[in-house]
Amino acid sequence: MQYRKMGNTGVEVSALGFGCMRLPVMEGQPDNCIDEARSIAMIRHAIDTGMNYIDTAYFYHHEASEPLVGKALQDGYREKVNLATKMPVFSVEKEEDFDFFLNNQLERLQTDHIDFYLLHALSLNTWKNKVLKFDLLSKMKKAREEGKIRFIGFSFHDNEEAFMEILNGFDEWDFCQIQMNYIDVENQATLRGMEAAAKKGLGVVIMEPLLGGKLANLSPQVKENLCSCRTPVEWAFDFLWNRPEVSVILSGMGSEEMVEQNLEYAGRSSIGMLDEKQLAMLDKTREVYQKMALVPCTGCAYCMPCPFGLDIPGIYEVYNQTVNDSREDTVKKYYAMDTLADACRKCRKCEGICPQHIESSTLMPVIHEKISKMKEEIEKA
Ligand code: SF4
Ligand code: SF4
């Protein structure tokens, strides 16, 4: 394992961190039925191999992730890792909610302190209407004084302007967690935001390094731009490890193979590992990807459940696969779904919470129309 500086905290973190939002679940069961034995074995194996950063959140796996992590870190494992979790800012309705959530999290995680504590998924809206309104920064500082947390950070989903406002709106940030990968250099916090955070001495934690798995499963037209000397996953990780600003990359690992593969990649990572030619190749890949990209859904499922029964990420998955699948396959997959996109009642419940700011109420009718047209044309032919 390779280790990197977590900003000015004095902590050295492993290049790879375990994101606990896509753990394996029991076959045919909902997201909160985590396969405990497999997940605990995977987490412990990663720790035994030198990984020292575990990331979870109050709502991951419908609140089942933190208790699972608490169990995985028994038997001496807690002492070997930096434990990160997040305050569900969007659920805070009054100042006291902060203490309720933090105390609950400590209990679920079976620990007396959280090393890296984040305000979850900040946007300009939650920054103003939750963090500042309920004085959550004072709450964070008090929790640090009491020894309940060690370092103060935020995770982020909005644009560059919002990122800069939040970054510069508090002098005691120790770290931040941003969405970054070789496609998103101009999206969300942007590379400029990442550089500004590192310059201020913050540790930078990367999430969505594979853009919700999309960079692992590239369409042939995109993949052919990448040299086959590395796998698409390796290219995506190496783009990030190459950067001096990056402290730790989180990967939401859902299988033993994924853990093994990612640990191997992390073991050979280093700052400056890519040359100009390789970076130009990734620039070209980004251009092709962006020309073909349809809906930037990462499959995080924050928007679920839809009150009208739509499998929102599932519909986007089928739609995005139209670049790879035959028209027949798209139509078959789409019409096999329990609820079609035209069932969307435009309630917009899914929109405010979507980290990618996807406007499902506008897109769903368009998607339904496009795929139903495909069906008509196939039937006519
Ligand atoms: S806007 Fe449409 S997709 Fe989104 S929650 Fe409402 S009905 Fe579901
Ligand atoms: S639509 Fe948005 S919230 Fe829903 S799964 Fe996709 S990225 Fe996540």
Side-chain angles (χ1 to χ4, degrees):
M1 180 52 65
Q2 299 295 315
Y3 297 89
R4 304 166 72 113
K5 282 193 170 54
M6 184 71 153
N8 290 342
T9 61
V11 176
E12 295 247 312
V13 288
S14 49
L16 178 74
F18 208 123
C20 297
M21 80 296 276
R22 292 191 174 104
L23 294 165
V25 294
M26 303 303 284
E27 214 178 320
Q29 297 298 307
D31 194 45
N32 60 347
C33 294
I34 299 173
D35 186 331
E36 285 198 3
R38 277 184 70 199
S39 300
I40 291 173
M42 281 160 53
I43 292 171
R44 290 187 175 182
H45 172 65
I47 298 171
D48 291 339
T49 314
M51 195 217 55
N52 72 3
Y53 195 93
I54 305 260
D55 171 83
T56 180
Y58 193 84
F59 285 118
Y60 287 172
H61 282 282
H62 291 94
E63 301 188 27
S65 176
E66 285 182 337
L68 181 284
V69 171
K71 285 182 194 166
L73 296 184
Q74 294 306 295
D75 305 326
Y77 282 89
R78 172 67 187 92
E79 292 69 34
K80 295 179 183 173
V81 294
N82 294 290
L83 177 58
T85 193
K86 314 183 187 79
M87 242 276 310
V89 172
F90 32 85
S91 297
V92 172
E93 296 300 341
K94 50 187 183 313
E95 277 186 37
E96 307 83 86
D97 289 347
F98 180 95
D99 304 302
F100 167 81
F101 284 121
L102 176 55
N103 291 333
N104 194 343
Q105 289 177 296
L106 290 169
E107 220 169 277
R108 288 172 170 193
L109 289 161
Q110 302 187 50
T111 186
D112 61 357
H113 73 281
I114 290 155
D115 300 292
F116 289 91
Y117 197 49
L118 304 93
L119 296 171
H120 197 173
L122 293 194
S123 62
L124 202 53
N125 178 24
T126 49
W127 171 247
K128 288 182 176 162
N129 297 315
K130 297 286 187 181
V131 179
L132 299 181
K133 183 174 172 191
F134 297 118
D135 199 15
L136 299 185
L137 297 168
S138 301
K139 290 284 194 184
M140 289 289 257
K141 288 201 270 186
K142 187 160 174 280
R144 185 175 58 189
E145 277 158 26
E146 290 169 353
K148 290 182 176 178
I149 66 173
R150 287 176 66 206
F151 299 108
I152 297 176
F154 65 99
S155 67
F156 177 82
H157 285 293
D158 202 335
N159 60 25
E160 182 183 357
E161 206 184 324
F163 183 77
M164 294 302 187
E165 184 161 338
I166 295 168
L167 178 68
N168 296 320
F170 181 53
D171 287 336
E172 296 183 47
W173 294 126
D174 295 303
F175 69 109
C176 61
Q177 181 170 321
I178 58 169
Q179 171 171 328
M180 183 54 69
N181 51 67
Y182 68 84
I183 301 295
D184 278 329
V185 293
E186 287 293 325
N187 296 336
Q188 301 259 329
T190 73
L191 276 186
R192 289 177 296 281
M194 182 171 93
E195 286 161 2
K199 205 166 165 205
K200 283 190 88 151
L202 274 73
V204 175
V205 180
I206 300 294
M207 59 182 158
E208 299 293 0
L210 303 176
L211 201 45
K214 288 201 197 67
L215 303 187
N217 298 302
L218 295 168
S219 67
Q221 298 94 317
V222 177
K223 196 174 168 185
E224 70 185 15
N225 294 283
L226 291 175
C227 165
S228 58
C229 53
R230 282 173 164 93
T231 65
V233 171
E234 205 174 359
W235 278 119
F237 283 151
D238 289 353
F239 169 78
L240 295 161
W241 281 320
N242 181 57
R243 307 275 317 199
E245 301 89 355
V246 171
S247 304
V248 49
I249 299 180
L250 298 178
S251 178
M253 296 180 271
S255 71
E256 292 76 4
E257 296 73 37
M258 219 183 271
V259 174
E260 214 54 68
Q261 185 193 51
N262 291 352
L263 286 168
E264 192 190 313
Y265 296 155
R268 47 178 187 254
S269 66
S270 64
I271 293 169
M273 64 192 298
L274 300 184
D275 61 28
E276 289 301 316
K277 219 170 130 194
Q278 291 167 322
L279 291 171
M281 184 190 69
L282 288 169
D283 286 342
K284 171 86 176 92
T285 309
R286 176 186 317 118
E287 266 173 45
V288 178
Y289 182 95
Q290 281 171 340
K291 270 189 203 141
M292 300 186 61
L294 298 166
V295 182
C297 172
T298 59
C300 68
Y302 285 7
C303 55
M304 293 293 280
C306 157
F308 296 96
L310 277 80
D311 173 1
I312 302 170
I315 290 172
Y316 291 142
E317 170 81 21
V318 170
Y319 183 58
N320 284 345
Q321 278 301 317
T322 54
V323 294
N324 287 334
D325 286 349
S326 67
R327 291 154 65 84
E328 285 76 8
D329 279 350
T330 299
V331 167
K332 204 165 142 194
K333 281 189 203 165
Y334 179 67
Y335 281 93
M337 300 188 93
D338 289 338
T339 309
L340 302 182
D342 65 340
C344 171
R345 291 292 166 267
K346 301 183 190 294
C347 69
R348 305 188 68 195
K349 178 183 166 275
C350 56
E351 293 182 5
I353 201 165
C354 172
Q356 311 304 321
H357 307 290
I358 294 169
E359 292 184 1
S360 293
S361 61
T362 312
L363 284 171
M364 288 300 173
V366 177
I367 289 176
H368 182 75
E369 202 189 320
K370 281 194 181 175
I371 304 183
S372 50
K373 250 193 199 137
M374 273 186 204
K375 184 170 178 263
E376 271 172 39
E377 285 165 11
I378 292 169
E379 284 167 355
K380 269 189 208 152

